[in-house]
Amino acid sequence: MSEPIVVTLNGSERHLTELGQQPTVAELIAFLGFRADRVALERNGDIVPRSTWADTHLITGDRIELVHFVGGGC
């Protein structure tokens, strides 16, 4: 059995065993339960455009910063 992909997500190490050997950014967002239209994602210091999420594969050592936008107000 292969080793899981290990990334740093918002400063915490995450083992992505549930996502298989070549997870994409889109799969990570869905796995975490976020709505794609309410999230911005940076990988290794670069913003990843939403249009490329399904084609952008994560690899061990990636540093992911994820920002979830919350609506609301008075």
Side-chain angles (χ1 to χ4, degrees):
M1 184 167 177
S2 300
E3 294 292 317
I5 301 296
V6 181
V7 299
T8 301
L9 177 62
N10 291 349
S12 297
E13 188 175 279
R14 293 284 298 255
H15 294 253
L16 304 179
T17 55
E18 303 90 343
L19 298 181
Q21 290 304 304
Q22 294 185 336
T24 65
V25 168
E27 291 170 329
L28 176 64
I29 299 296
F31 173 74
L32 295 172
F34 291 113
R35 287 182 43 183
D37 63 343
R38 304 255 172 121
V39 173
L41 187 133
E42 183 181 274
R43 177 181 176 230
N44 301 324
D46 295 318
I47 301 266
V48 179
R50 191 172 287 117
S51 62
T52 67
W53 285 2
D55 300 319
T56 303
H57 292 273
L58 302 172
I59 60 171
T60 291
D62 278 345
R63 291 173 290 112
I64 306 297
E65 294 296 325
L66 182 68
V67 178
H68 180 246
F69 301 102
V70 178
C74 299

